[in-house]
């Protein structure tokens, strides 16, 4: 019976392997198991050869994989920072959107209750009535004062009691006319109060809009410089001086000019 030579590699890897049994010159029933073992040996040898020859390649692959992981982590951190910035930007945009909507509401309220044609016509009408009533009352007072002056002058020149009585009655009528003309003050006050109510309403909503956008101090940064474009006498005339107004000559200034 022939004996198969055993190689040292086989003995080193799988140890002692029994010889196959021959029955009647043929391979016994454990032939399949032996062949499977041989295939396993070949596979182990091939794996050992591959693993032994590719250590450098494996190290390069591991280094490349580590570098790619580090780059992926850095990119992930960058994306996370960008997402945080986008979230902050969204918060700011939401605040601006809310401010715009609130400002639109204030403007709509002003337009509906102050700036539409009917309300502004009322304001203009009230101011026009104030001007007209003041002018009419002033004219009536001046005419009455002139008539009183003339009657008083004539009263000293007549000796007739009847003439004196007539002139005296005329003076009294003119005085009553002056009192009647002074009633314009009450009407003027009522009309101006209506205008002031409208102006206060407008002022309130404008202040609210300024508060929406950060208050008066924030708005001042956007105020353009005020340039007085008036010329000639218009540049010198500033109207009656109110308490605390600047740009007006006081009585002391006028007196100083004559000293």
């Amino acid at each position: 019976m022939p004996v198969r030579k055993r190689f040292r590699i086989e003995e080193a890897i799988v140890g002692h392997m029994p010889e196959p049994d021959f029955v009647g010159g043929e391979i016994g029933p454990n032939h399949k198991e032996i062949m499977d073992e041989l295939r396993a040996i070949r596979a182990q040898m091939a794996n050992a050869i591959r693993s032994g020859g590719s250590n450098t390649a494996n190290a390069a692959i591991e280094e490349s994989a580590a570098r790619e992981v580090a780059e992926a982590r850095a990119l992930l951190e960058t994306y996370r920072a960008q997402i945080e910035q986008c979230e902050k930007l969204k918060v700011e945009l939401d605040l601006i959107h809310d401010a715009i909507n609130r400002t639109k509401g204030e403007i709509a309220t002003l337009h509906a209750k102050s700036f539409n044609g009917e309300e502004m016509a009322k304001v203009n009408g009230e101011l026009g009535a104030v001007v007209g009533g003041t002018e009419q009352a002033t004219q009536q007072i001046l005419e009455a004062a002139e008539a009183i002056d003339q009657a008083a002058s004539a009263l000293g020149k007549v000796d007739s009691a009847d003439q004196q009585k007539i002139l005296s009655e005329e003076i009294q009528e003119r005085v009553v006319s002056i009192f009647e003309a002074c009633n314009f003050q009450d009407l003027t006050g009522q009309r101006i109060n209506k205008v002031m109510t409208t102006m206060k309403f407008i002022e309130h909503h404008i202040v609210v809009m300024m508060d929406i956008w950060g208050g008066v101090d924030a708005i001042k940064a956007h105020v353009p410089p005020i340039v007085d474009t008036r010329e000639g006498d218009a540049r010198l005339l500033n109207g009656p001086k109110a308490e605390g107004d600047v740009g007006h000559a006081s009585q002391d200034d006028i007196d100083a000019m004559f000293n």
Side-chain angles (χ1 to χ4, degrees):
M1 180 178 64
V3 178
R4 186 176 69 84
K5 180 181 178 180
R6 292 184 56 77
F7 295 96
R8 284 178 294 174
I9 187 65
E10 293 178 318
E11 295 176 354
I13 295 176
V14 298
H16 178 73
M17 180 183 294
E19 295 290 337
D21 297 332
F22 287 87
V23 179
E26 300 211 358
I27 300 176
N30 59 350
H31 174 265
K32 183 177 182 303
E33 288 79 2
I34 295 172
M35 296 303 296
D36 290 340
E37 291 293 336
L38 289 174
R39 293 190 187 95
I41 291 170
R42 291 194 189 99
Q44 290 178 3
M45 292 173 64
N47 290 335
I49 293 172
R50 282 197 300 270
S51 62
S54 59
N55 288 335
T56 304
N58 289 339
I61 293 173
E62 291 178 358
E63 181 180 357
S64 176
R67 191 188 317 80
E68 291 179 357
V69 169
E71 292 176 354
R73 288 178 178 174
L75 186 61
L76 182 61
E77 291 297 328
T78 302
Y79 287 157
R80 184 177 291 110
Q82 291 178 351
I83 291 173
E84 291 178 357
Q85 292 297 326
C86 289
E87 290 176 350
K88 293 179 180 179
L89 179 61
K90 182 180 182 302
V91 172
E92 295 295 332
L93 291 175
D94 289 341
L95 292 175
I96 293 173
H97 181 266
D98 179 64
I100 291 174
N101 285 336
R102 291 166 60 191
T103 305
K104 286 182 179 179
E106 296 295 331
I107 293 174
T109 303
L110 286 175
H111 182 270
K113 297 186 178 181
S114 298
F115 289 150
N116 61 8
E118 183 179 355
E119 287 296 326
M120 292 308 295
K122 287 182 180 179
V123 170
N124 292 332
E126 294 293 346
L127 292 176
V130 167
V131 174
T134 303
E135 181 180 0
Q136 182 180 359
T138 302
Q139 185 67 27
Q140 184 177 344
I141 291 171
L142 291 174
E143 290 178 355
E146 184 179 1
I148 290 172
D149 181 65
Q150 292 175 357
S153 298
L155 185 61
K157 297 178 181 179
V158 297
D159 297 330
S160 171
D162 293 336
Q163 290 293 330
Q164 291 178 353
K165 182 179 179 181
I166 291 172
L167 292 173
S168 177
E169 291 176 352
E170 183 178 357
I171 291 173
Q172 290 178 349
E173 290 177 0
R174 294 297 182 174
V175 170
V176 172
S177 176
I178 291 175
F179 288 146
E180 291 176 350
C182 288
N183 289 332
F184 84 95
Q185 183 179 4
D186 181 55
L187 297 176
T188 299
Q190 294 179 25
R191 295 182 188 280
I192 291 177
N193 282 333
K194 291 181 181 179
V195 175
M196 289 180 63
T197 300
T198 302
M199 297 304 294
K200 288 179 180 179
F201 177 82
I202 295 172
E203 180 185 12
H204 168 71
H205 286 277
I206 290 177
V207 170
V208 171
M209 283 190 285
M210 287 192 295
D211 290 338
I212 290 173
W213 293 102
V216 177
D217 293 335
I219 299 297
K220 285 181 179 179
H222 302 279
V223 176
I226 299 175
V227 179
D228 191 354
T229 58
R230 297 177 299 172
E231 298 179 355
D233 293 340
R235 191 179 184 87
L236 301 175
L237 298 177
N238 296 300
K241 183 180 184 299
E243 186 69 25
D245 282 353
V246 295
H248 296 263
S250 65
Q251 186 62 45
D252 293 337
D253 296 331
I254 296 173
D255 293 339
M257 294 175 63
F258 297 97
N259 291 336

